[in-house]
Amino acid sequence: MKNLQLTLYLFIVLNTCFAQPDRWQQRISYNIDVKMNAATNRFTGIEKIEYFNNSPDTLFRVFFHTYWNAFQPNSSMDMRSRELGKIILGVDKQGKEVRDWDPRVKDRILHLKPDEIGYQKVAYVNINGKAQTLKEHETILEVALKNPILPKSKTTFEVSFEAQVPLQIRRSGRDNAEGVRYSMSQWYPKMAEYDYQGWNANPYIAREFYGVWGDYNVKININKSYLVAASGTLQNKNQVGFGYEEAGAKVIKPSGNTLTWNFVAQNVHDFVWAADPDYVMIKRQVKNGPLLYIVYKNADSFQAPFHKLADTAALAYPLMAKTFGLYPYKNYSFIQGGDGGMEYPMATLIKNAGIGTAIHEWMHSWYQGMMGTNESLYPWMDEGFTTYAEERIMGELRQKKTFAQEGSYSGYYKLVKSGFEEPMTTHSDHYSTNYAYSNAAYSKGAVFMSQLGYITGDKVRDNILLEYYRQWRFKHPNPNDFIRVAEKVSGMELDWYKEYWVNTTKTIDYAIDSLWEENGKTNIRIKRIGEMPMPVDVQLTFKDGSRELHYIPLNLMYGEKPVESDTVPRTVHEEWRWTHPTYIFETDRKIIDLSEVQIDPSQRLADIDPHNNLLKIKW
Ligand SMILES: [Zn+2]
């Protein structure tokens, strides 16, 4: 409770300091009606869309994603996977070659039979009753408009479509490895986002997502035996039952073999649902937080892990809200489905009830859900920040005494050594290997956030996290937007950090070069070996057990971080000009008194060679 008050207090204080960004963005409202045939795994749907063109541009065409066309032999997704499968990353412990393809995908798409493939066929797109001209590009539908959409105007579309649910290959599909009938993500023709950088009509080859902010009103008609879980809030709880009904309410189901489920989600950029006749549900109201739905298949082996998930999620929420900001929706659903863990607004599909995965997916509600960063262009701002949050929350839950982010640092160090690294400015579909994408987006992205704490101080970095949440949620921030928040909150220049860490593959390596005594004082020379410059913390430990922290700001920062330790006295030295490979500072103590010199004892600096960071002196 106290912590939440602190969070609110911070919002109010920071609120008065910085103006809101005023970038325009499109807006959409979907009314979707679908009728699922659980015998054929096909459904038909009508989408009524209100589209608000808030841009200053006239639009002559629009684009829809038709993701499921990827699940057909020889599709771009299939070919991409098989081509990546030719790249050998190395050998595993058994001496077997490790291929770069996603083990969930491999060449499985190539072998799908006609009743196992996925498709989305759009019959028509009408505007004011007039059919528009359609051109299919596999997973992208181009709609040439009879009349252009003018700036600052609203257009109403009607889209009629028919779809077949693919056998589960990646994320969505039917009959996954745990027998869940329907994992329904990327299931409807979805308008591509048009933003200040233009159309984002990325063909679907494996990853990532980006959508228009809007509201969803979804009606799903399906066989009565199925429990449906979804993004949004169920509107007709007392008609469907299954535990959704209000306490004490009498459930009155309509007659017939099917039920229509009506979900509404507001201010989201996607909508997921899942359905299975064997689903059961745990409801858990988090104190000062959302109502959680935990939906899983009714089998003995799933009972304990999903109950544990419910308990842990409720425990974790106050920690998440304190550090990253409040979760703004009424409910959140953990739904068994898919093939691992995949995030959607207000819900996740998870294959098993792993706690780390569950916390990771829920934390995506902040960076994928609320920020809605363009994941194709900046996957590290979603996966990296989410991984940072997951490791931090898991560390707090486990009351871990050691540094919580070590998994991400080691992933990043391996990437550097692998020779596969590419700059994080690479479009997520266009990395040359899955390996480089994953380790950049998840590990190097998480290190970006942890290491920011090294530069600004952890407390300031935490204020940056909350201010970023306050300024940019529901607005699609880009890397520069994040850095500007960090600069304003810290009072430092930080563009150099983004430019080196994100735009290049240059690495950090500082070393203790030499020590000598002059006039009773000890000189310490530090050397920059890596090409990326950073501020440097050096801790001196003396034989009597006392310590000194020597802090050398980088000249590009035009600032210094606050004192972080109450116990170790700190000396701030002259700035280190980035052009200079060495730097000498002194301490008043004699060289004979020294027992240890260490660069960055906090281990937040991603120095790729730790061996030259520590000098133990034996006299
Ligand atoms: Zn993730």
Side-chain angles (χ1 to χ4, degrees), residues 140-425:
I140 293 288
L141 179 73
E142 179 187 343
V143 182
L145 302 172
K146 295 248 154 74
N147 296 306
I149 299 176
L150 298 177
K152 318 280 179 207
S153 73
K154 184 180 96 173
T155 305
T156 307
F157 293 86
E158 185 175 292
V159 182
S160 167
F161 66 104
E162 194 225 334
Q164 176 167 291
V165 188
L167 186 69
Q168 206 268 339
I169 300 282
R170 185 72 185 96
R171 301 191 180 96
S172 45
R174 65 176 170 88
D175 305 309
N176 80 346
E178 290 176 337
V180 173
R181 284 289 286 134
Y182 295 121
S183 300
M184 301 289 281
S185 53
Q186 294 88 38
W187 57 278
Y188 57 97
K190 181 182 173 185
M191 181 80 79
E193 179 63 303
Y194 181 80
D195 64 13
Y196 66 103
Q197 304 192 87
W199 280 107
N200 294 274
N202 295 305
Y204 185 43
I205 62 158
R207 62 177 84 94
E208 286 282 328
F209 304 96
Y210 186 41
V212 189
W213 291 110
D215 304 320
Y216 287 72
N217 187 336
V218 179
K219 294 193 178 100
I220 300 155
N221 180 271
I222 191 166
N223 186 289
K224 244 181 183 167
S225 62
Y226 282 69
L227 189 161
V228 178
S231 296
T233 304
L234 185 61
Q235 303 298 296
N236 55 339
K237 293 179 173 140
N238 297 341
Q239 246 177 24
V240 299
F242 287 99
Y244 277 108
E245 68 272 18
E246 277 136 19
K250 189 163 187 279
V251 178
I252 302 167
K253 295 194 188 192
S255 58
N257 297 327
T258 63
L259 254 182
T260 300
W261 300 65
N262 181 200
F263 292 91
V264 167
Q266 278 160 340
N267 219 14
V268 293
H269 52 69
D270 202 0
F271 187 99
V272 68
W273 60 283
D276 191 280
D278 297 327
Y279 268 161
V280 287
M281 184 165 74
I282 304 166
K283 276 199 281 196
R284 184 64 53 93
Q285 179 62 55
V286 179
K287 205 176 163 200
N288 300 317
L291 174 64
L292 302 179
Y293 296 111
I294 296 97
V295 179
Y296 59 101
K297 276 186 84 89
N298 191 11
D300 286 348
S301 57
F302 298 133
Q303 291 292 351
F306 279 94
H307 274 90
K308 177 143 190 262
L309 192 165
D311 295 343
T312 314
L315 272 179
Y317 178 72
L319 306 173
M320 295 157 75
K322 179 185 70 167
T323 306
F324 301 98
L326 299 174
Y327 177 82
Y329 305 102
K330 268 191 221 160
N331 48 273
Y332 185 80
S333 300
F334 294 94
I335 309 166
Q336 189 179 14
D339 53 26
M342 183 62 200
E343 67 279 9
Y344 305 97
M346 302 178 70
T348 175
L349 295 181
I350 48 175
K351 194 176 132 202
N352 55 48
I355 299 297
T357 307
I359 297 297
H360 178 97
E361 302 312 330
W362 194 9
M363 276 312 312
H364 268 302
S365 293
W366 279 252
Y367 297 110
Q368 190 258 1
M370 271 183 266
M371 293 301 163
T373 289
N374 184 338
E375 299 168 50
S376 296
L377 295 180
Y378 322 117
W380 59 277
M381 291 177 72
D382 173 31
E383 291 302 349
F385 292 7
T386 299
T387 300
Y388 169 81
E390 172 204 341
E391 291 188 345
R392 183 157 171 183
I393 298 298
M394 291 304 290
E396 288 178 31
L397 280 174
R398 290 177 179 146
Q399 297 176 323
K400 211 173 155 182
K401 294 279 185 293
T402 53
F403 182 50
Q405 303 287 337
E406 53 206 352
S408 292
Y409 279 77
S410 79
Y412 166 63
Y413 296 143
K414 276 186 203 145
L415 174 66
V416 169
K417 290 198 185 92
S418 73
F420 288 109
E421 193 185 3
E422 296 170 61
M424 291 206 292
T425 46

Side-chain angles (χ1 to χ4, degrees), residues 1 15 62 78 125 182 193 224 245 259 265 273-274 384 393 460 469 471 497 500 541 565 613:
M1 198 59 200
N15 215 345
V62 299
D78 175 32
V125 175
Y182 295 121
E193 179 63 303
K224 244 181 183 167
E245 68 272 18
L259 254 182
W273 60 283
I393 298 298
V460 173
Y469 164 90
Q471 273 194 39
Y497 181 49
Y500 273 95
T541 307
S565 164
N613 289 12

Side-chain angles (χ1 to χ4, degrees), residues 476-534:
H476 296 323
N478 65 36
N480 198 56
D481 298 326
F482 178 82
I483 280 294
R484 290 297 294 129
V485 171
E487 289 190 332
K488 287 175 186 173
V489 174
S490 69
M492 289 178 184
E493 293 296 303
L494 293 164
D495 46 355
W496 59 273
Y497 181 49
K498 181 196 71 181
E499 277 142 25
Y500 273 95
W501 195 253
V502 177
N503 301 5
T504 81
T505 56
K506 291 177 182 177
T507 52
I508 300 162
D509 181 15
Y510 282 90
I512 300 155
D513 181 71
S514 48
L515 318 174
W516 68 94
E517 197 177 292
E518 234 174 74
N519 308 324
K521 292 179 176 182
T522 305
N523 287 269
I524 296 121
R525 177 158 44 208
I526 306 293
K527 191 161 76 176
R528 176 173 58 73
I529 299 169
E531 283 184 292
M532 177 167 171
M534 285 291 276

Side-chain angles (χ1 to χ4, degrees), residues 15-56:
N15 215 345
T16 55
C17 301
F18 307 119
Q20 288 279 354
D22 61 350
R23 191 179 294 149
W24 58 264
Q25 61 191 7
Q26 307 298 66
R27 184 88 194 168
I28 199 160
S29 167
Y30 289 96
N31 261 285
I32 312 179
D33 255 285
V34 289
K35 210 171 158 42
M36 169 66 91
N37 182 334
T40 61
N41 304 308
R42 290 182 188 162
F43 61 94
T44 52
I46 295 278
E47 276 180 10
K48 289 185 179 152
I49 296 172
E50 284 187 327
Y51 184 64
F52 301 83
N53 178 19
N54 294 326
S55 80

Side-chain angles (χ1 to χ4, degrees), residues 552-602:
I552 312 163
L554 177 67
N555 69 325
L556 302 172
M557 288 160 42
Y558 299 101
E560 57 195 58
K561 67 177 160 187
V563 170
E564 289 195 279
S565 164
D566 303 334
T567 49
V568 183
R570 185 179 85 162
T571 306
V572 181
H573 294 279
E574 280 292 300
E575 60 195 22
W576 186 337
R577 288 165 292 170
W578 74 271
T579 45
H580 288 50
T582 58
Y583 187 99
I584 301 165
F585 68 91
E586 62 176 33
T587 170
D588 292 338
R589 307 276 298 260
K590 288 194 162 75
I591 198 163
I592 192 82
D593 294 334
L594 259 175
S595 68
E596 195 179 284
V597 181
Q598 186 176 18
I599 294 172
D600 180 33
S602 75

